[in-house]
């Protein structure tokens, strides 16, 4: 039987709101959108067959028309942090049981987020720029990876790498890895062209494959070294674009001892960054200027991160950097979600999508709210261009999946138990292992919409 969707109100029909509505509609939720821009609102409401309310999300009239009193989840993602917080506060007055989520991007609020959440009774405050910076930093700390996602409060990592020509993995089976390198990781997906495979032991790897595996950070580094990958962090980077993401990223990298140069064309923003980041080199200029990049030393640095507000510029910058310096690590921020097939065919290195980071955190929360009591969604990521999902569940009570050996569970096709986190210890599961109450369990599946751990069973 299909699970009943939530009633969700989304305030703000901009780029983030658009992505959120798209994802929430895919999940089967009943959505109401509030926005002052009638044209934008009508377009989005028509596209996803949901109700639209023209008005201010903090107004009594608009909230009444949206029937906030009967809503389950209220998400505010306008361009104003203050409006987002105010909307959530007022909405809560209509419905004390309402779960509220606000987008807050200003670094000034960064240290106050726990206080704001507590005082305003917010379930979540999300900052897309900060989360994008966290993701970029993880990649720069392990530049051999194309992508890194963390699970189990940072104790387990999902890492994607590309097998280069002549690598020892070329022509080897997944089982060969376990018997000759380590049994303490599990390969959860292989991307070969347009095909996505959740492999078994007999699957043969090939150069050019993108493989994703789960392991602890220590095992991950050891494994990568053993197959010929460098595991040391970058030592220097050029960040092009001086917005909020650039500030958050530079701050993290500097604290880790990495030399940072930021190129920003707005002179006033350069002055602000010089005060905020006294240990960074701040250059006022257009990052798309080839001569400026050469003068800044793009051929000498370990990495380049393109964080301008224009996707096309970011793509060109990363392609240029990789063309003139073959060993450079590049990270490209993409704001628009479309044309992913085209983007994937470009040699951009690592790509981050701030809007997807935002939507996945909120979808995780919505699934947890929708789930049965027996287990709860902790974290969810879309993988392989949304062709698969990685979901971490917390096991809260006995069910049809607990206490049984994994080999006896009839899992749905294309579903894999990737790790069991038991009291902080990461277990890479074998057939004789069991899932117990209190465990956190990560599932990778090509099926969509799991809200409870029991969904893995046929």
């Amino acid at each position: 039987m299909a699970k009943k969707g939530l009633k969700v109100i989304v305030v703000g029909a901009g780029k983030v709101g658009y992505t959120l509505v798209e994802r929430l509609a895919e999940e089967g939720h009943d959505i109401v959108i509030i926005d002052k821009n009638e044209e934008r609102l009508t377009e989005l409401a028509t596209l996803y067959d949901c109700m639209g309310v023209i008005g201010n999300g903090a107004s009594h009239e608009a909230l009444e028309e949206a029937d906030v009193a009967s809503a389950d989840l209220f998400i505010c993602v306008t361009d104003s942090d203050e409006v987002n917080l105010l909307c959530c506060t007022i909405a809560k007055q209509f419905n004390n049981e309402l779960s509220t989520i606000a987008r807050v991007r200003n670094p000034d609020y960064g240290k106050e987020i726990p206080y704001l959440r507590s005082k305003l009774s917010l379930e979540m405050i999300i900052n897309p720029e900060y989360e994008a910076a966290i993701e970029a930093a993880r990649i720069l700390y392990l530049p051999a990876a194309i992508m890194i996602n963390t699970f189990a409060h940072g104790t387990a990592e999902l890492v994607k790498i590309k097998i280069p020509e002549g690598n020892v993995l070329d022509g080897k089976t997944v089982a060969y890895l376990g018997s000759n390198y380590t049994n303490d990781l599990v390969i959860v997906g292989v991307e070969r062209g347009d095909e996505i495979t959740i492999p078994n032991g007999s699957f043969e790897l090939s150069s050019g494959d993108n493989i994703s595996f789960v392991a602890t950070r220590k095992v991950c580094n050891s494994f990568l070294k053993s197959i010929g990958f460098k595991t040391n962090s970058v030592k220097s980077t050029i960040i092009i674009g001086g917005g909020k993401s650039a500030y958050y990223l530079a701050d993290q990298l500097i604290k880790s001892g990495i030399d940072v140069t930021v190129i920003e064309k707005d002179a006033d923003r350069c002055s602000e960054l010089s005060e905020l980041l006294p240990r960074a080199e701040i250059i006022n200029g257009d990052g798309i200027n080839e001569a400026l990049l050469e003068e800044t030393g793009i051929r000498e640095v370990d990495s380049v991160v393109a964080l301008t507000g224009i996707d096309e510029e970011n793509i060109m910058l990363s392609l240029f950097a990789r063309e003139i310096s073959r060993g450079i690590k590049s990270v490209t921020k993409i704001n628009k979600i479309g044309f992913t097939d085209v983007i994937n065919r470009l040699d951009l290195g690592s790509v981050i999508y701030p809007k997807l980071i935002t939507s996945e955190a909120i979808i995780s929360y919505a699934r947890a709210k929708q789930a049965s009591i027996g287990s709860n969604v902790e974290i969810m990521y879309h993988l392989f261009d949304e062709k698969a999902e990685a979901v971490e569940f917390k096991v809260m009570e006995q069910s049809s999946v607990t206490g049984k050996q994994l080999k006896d569970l009839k899992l749905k096709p294309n579903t894999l138990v990737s790790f069991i986190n038991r009291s902080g210890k990461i277990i890479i599961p074998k057939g004789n292992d069991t899932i117990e109450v209190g465990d956190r369990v990560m599932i990778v599946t090509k099926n969509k919409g799991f809200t409870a751990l029991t969904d893995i069973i046929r």
Side-chain angles (χ1 to χ4, degrees):
M1 187 175 70
K3 295 179 177 68
K4 185 177 182 297
L6 305 174
K7 178 171 179 181
V8 184
I9 297 175
V10 177
V11 182
K15 292 175 183 175
V16 173
Y18 188 103
T19 305
L20 264 178
V21 170
E22 178 184 34
R23 293 301 176 89
L24 290 164
E26 288 173 0
E27 298 273 318
H29 299 297
D30 178 16
I31 307 162
V32 180
I33 314 162
I34 303 175
D35 196 279
K36 291 187 288 187
N37 186 314
E38 183 176 356
E39 182 180 350
R40 193 165 57 194
L41 177 70
T42 303
E43 178 188 347
L44 188 55
T46 302
L47 190 58
Y48 293 103
D49 191 24
C50 50
M51 178 181 171
V53 175
I54 302 166
N56 185 331
S59 96
H60 189 275
E61 184 180 354
L63 291 172
E64 276 203 332
E65 188 177 344
D67 193 17
V68 70
S70 69
D72 301 297
L73 183 58
F74 185 90
I75 306 164
C76 204
V77 289
T78 76
D79 288 336
S80 167
D81 294 347
E82 291 75 17
V83 168
N84 293 340
L85 293 169
L86 178 62
C87 288
C88 289
T89 303
I90 295 174
K92 202 86 170 183
Q93 306 307 309
F94 281 81
N95 179 354
N96 196 44
E97 299 300 313
L98 183 66
S99 298
T100 53
I101 297 174
R103 178 174 73 163
V104 176
R105 301 182 296 170
N106 192 327
D108 292 343
Y109 291 125
K111 294 176 182 177
E112 298 175 2
I113 282 177
Y115 174 82
L116 290 170
R117 277 191 61 197
S118 171
K119 292 299 180 184
L120 302 181
S121 301
L122 293 160
E123 272 60 45
M124 184 187 300
I125 290 179
I126 190 150
N127 184 333
E129 286 80 3
Y130 179 74
E131 297 300 332
I134 292 283
E135 187 167 320
R138 280 200 298 257
I139 292 166
L140 295 177
Y141 296 147
L142 186 63
I146 298 172
M147 180 197 77
I148 304 172
N149 290 320
T150 62
F151 293 84
H153 302 294
T155 57
E157 293 182 332
L158 172 62
V159 178
K160 182 196 286 189
I161 60 170
K162 185 171 185 175
I163 302 177
E165 291 284 343
N167 187 265
V168 293
L169 297 187
D170 187 12
K172 302 297 193 302
T173 64
V174 170
Y176 179 88
L177 265 66
S179 56
N180 290 271
Y181 289 94
T182 178
N183 266 317
D184 293 328
L185 64 79
V186 58
I187 295 182
V188 299
V190 179
E191 297 169 84
R192 182 174 295 167
D194 294 329
E195 291 294 315
I196 307 297
T197 304
I198 296 179
N200 57 25
S202 63
F203 185 91
E204 189 173 294
L205 303 169
S206 177
S207 63
D209 287 349
N210 286 331
I211 66 169
S212 296
F213 63 88
V214 172
T216 63
R217 181 169 298 179
K218 182 178 179 182
V219 169
C220 169
N221 286 356
S222 174
F223 170 66
L224 289 173
K225 277 183 183 176
S226 71
I227 61 171
F229 281 76
K230 293 179 180 179
T231 58
N232 53 306
S233 168
V234 302
K235 293 183 171 60
S236 56
T237 193
I238 293 175
I239 300 173
I240 304 167
K244 294 183 178 71
S245 291
Y247 163 71
Y248 288 126
L249 177 59
D251 187 49
Q252 290 179 68
L253 298 181
I254 290 166
K255 289 173 181 174
S256 299
I258 295 169
D259 293 332
V260 175
T261 299
V262 180
I263 301 176
E264 165 59 38
K265 58 185 175 184
D266 183 271
D268 291 338
R269 180 58 176 166
C270 285
S271 298
E272 290 177 16
L273 289 171
S274 295
E275 292 182 15
L276 291 167
L277 301 166
R279 292 163 59 192
E281 182 181 8
I282 311 297
I283 295 175
N284 180 211
D286 190 346
I288 205 74
N289 184 309
E290 189 174 332
L292 176 62
L293 291 172
E294 292 278 9
E295 186 181 331
T296 306
I298 195 167
R299 293 179 186 270
E300 284 74 50
V301 294
D302 298 330
S303 59
V304 169
V305 186
L307 295 179
T308 79
I310 303 171
D311 291 351
E312 293 78 7
E313 285 191 5
N314 292 340
I315 290 168
M316 291 302 297
L317 286 164
S318 291
L319 290 174
F320 173 69
R322 294 173 74 79
E323 178 66 28
I324 65 171
S325 179
R326 282 294 173 186
I328 203 166
K329 178 65 184 180
S330 63
V331 180
T332 313
K333 183 181 81 168
I334 302 290
N335 286 310
K336 300 183 184 73
I337 310 298
F339 304 107
T340 52
D341 288 342
V342 175
I343 290 168
N344 289 339
R345 286 195 287 270
L346 299 174
D347 184 23
L348 295 176
S350 297
V351 179
I352 55 175
Y353 295 90
K355 290 176 183 60
L356 288 185
I357 297 169
T358 303
S359 66
E360 287 178 349
I362 292 172
I363 294 297
S364 296
Y365 180 81
R367 286 198 192 174
K369 192 171 177 65
Q370 190 183 8
S372 62
I373 296 171
S375 59
N376 215 354
V377 176
E378 296 278 285
I379 298 173
M380 187 274 294
Y381 293 108
H382 284 98
L383 305 176
F384 319 131
D385 293 330
E386 303 178 50
K387 294 172 184 170
E389 294 179 349
V391 189
E392 182 181 340
F393 293 96
K394 181 180 180 181
V395 185
M396 301 169 71
E397 63 179 37
Q398 296 286 349
S399 71
S400 56
V401 301
T402 57
K404 297 177 183 176
Q405 293 186 342
L406 294 181
K407 64 184 179 184
D408 296 328
L409 294 178
K410 290 183 171 59
L411 300 182
K412 287 178 179 172
N414 295 307
T415 299
L416 180 69
V417 180
S418 303
F419 72 70
I420 299 169
N421 175 15
R422 184 166 296 154
S423 302
K425 180 185 178 185
I426 300 299
I427 300 167
I428 301 298
K430 311 294 186 295
N432 294 332
D433 286 310
T434 60
I435 296 170
E436 304 295 343
V437 175
D439 289 347
R440 283 177 164 82
V441 182
M442 176 184 162
I443 305 298
V444 173
T445 180
K446 289 171 75 174
N447 301 283
K448 296 293 182 70
F450 285 4
T451 61
L453 187 58
T454 49
D455 289 340
I456 69 176
I457 303 298
R458 294 184 190 182

